[in-house]
Amino acid sequence: MRRFEGYGVLVTGAGRGIGEATARRLAGEGGRVLVTDVDGDRAQKAAAGIRESGGEALALVCDVGDRASVEAAVAHAVREFGTLDVLVNNAYACHPDAALFEDESDEEWQRDLDITLTGAYRCARAALPHLAAAPDRRGAIVGIGSVNGEQDFGNHAYSAAKAGLASLTRTLAGHAAPRGVRVNLIAPGTVRTDAWAGREDLLAAAAAQYPLGRVGLPGDIAAAVAFLASRDAAWITGVTLPVDGGILVSRPRWGSALRGE
């Protein structure tokens, strides 16, 4: 299946984890993908891996916290591909909570919101005119939210930012629909990525709480992105799609498990 043949795609935070898996999936379906990451070496490695697998990918450093960097990335995608049809807002920041809420710092709070929420806003703002110009009303924005934006799983700033993404998805979907651009969000549960390195015990405890019996894999999220970005979802906009192994229906068990109760 090559649902993205001829598409130009930009994925943020694509040097590893969910972003890399998404870039690989969309390239595997024919998309020409710009792999962006604040870490240039990671972006280059991910893009090289896609090319080795037969896909088309370029790499570029992009800091979603900087407007000029974002606008340069969008311009680069349009220049190289001739079109920009899909934006995947995946980049995020998440700092550990302080033991007491009153000890949270302004700097950490602001960092999480600026990268996770405002970064997505910067990317959507820069990309929207090009997505609106995509042929056949195929322009799409897919954001990576979190179950943290739906219920309490900790991480105050990160969770607030992800909840903000859900709201931005709804309002931007209404604004962009007349221009032929769809805007949707995915809310993953726990996903096995490098962010969990060295914490296998917590992943095992988490997996036991999921109705489907495991934590997610980056490919699970990439598959959902591919659906929402494709014409298969041509009549879907403004939604938050949980891809969470059922955790949102079993949330009461989660907190007690991680407390060892």
Side-chain angles (χ1 to χ4, degrees):
M1 188 185 308
R2 294 179 67 83
R3 292 179 290 184
F4 301 101
E5 193 75 49
Y7 280 48
V9 179
L10 191 158
V11 185
T12 68
R16 60 182 179 180
I18 290 171
E20 181 182 7
T22 296
R24 184 178 294 274
R25 175 65 184 256
L26 299 186
E29 292 198 33
R32 297 165 293 170
V33 181
L34 182 59
V35 176
T36 73
D37 200 284
V38 71
D39 185 319
D41 290 341
R42 283 204 302 249
Q44 290 287 353
K45 183 178 179 181
I50 290 171
R51 292 193 296 269
E52 289 169 5
S53 299
E56 185 173 346
L58 301 173
L60 188 72
V61 173
C62 179
D63 177 2
V64 301
D66 179 77
R67 179 174 184 170
S69 182
V70 166
E71 292 179 349
V74 169
H76 188 77
V78 173
R79 183 169 59 252
E80 293 294 326
F81 303 145
T83 181
L84 181 61
D85 305 279
V86 175
L87 167 67
V88 182
N89 276 322
N90 171 70
Y92 75 96
C94 180
H95 77 273
D97 284 338
L100 295 175
F101 183 74
E102 57 266 34
D103 293 332
E104 295 276 334
S105 73
D106 286 0
E107 292 75 20
E108 289 177 327
W109 175 273
Q110 187 58 45
R111 172 70 176 169
D112 281 12
L113 265 67
D114 187 57
I115 299 302
T116 306
L117 176 57
T118 310
Y121 153 75
R122 291 186 185 101
C123 293
R125 178 178 58 190
L128 187 55
H130 304 286
L131 298 171
D136 303 322
R137 297 176 67 87
R138 69 191 190 191
I141 298 173
V142 182
I144 306 300
S146 174
V147 293
N148 285 56
E150 307 296 316
Q151 292 185 15
D152 169 29
F153 290 90
N155 296 107
H156 304 297
Y158 171 82
S159 298
K162 292 297 191 179
L165 278 178
S167 179
L168 178 62
T169 296
R170 293 187 292 270
T171 59
L172 186 55
H175 174 81
R179 302 169 72 179
V181 178
R182 297 178 301 105
V183 186
N184 292 295
L185 189 73
I186 292 166
T190 307
V191 177
R192 184 183 294 275
T193 67
D194 290 348
W196 288 92
R199 297 187 290 169
E200 292 296 322
D201 55 336
L202 288 180
L203 277 180
Q209 303 309 309
Y210 277 81
L212 290 182
R214 65 174 176 88
V215 297
L217 300 173
D220 295 320
I221 312 307
V225 173
F227 165 65
L228 287 177
S230 76
R231 298 295 295 168
D232 288 342
W235 213 44
I236 300 174
T237 196
V239 306
T240 296
L241 172 66
V243 182
D244 68 346
I247 195 64
L248 287 178
V249 301
S250 64
R251 171 63 182 86
R253 300 166 54 200
W254 171 274
S256 59
L258 294 190
R259 289 191 297 269
E261 298 172 356

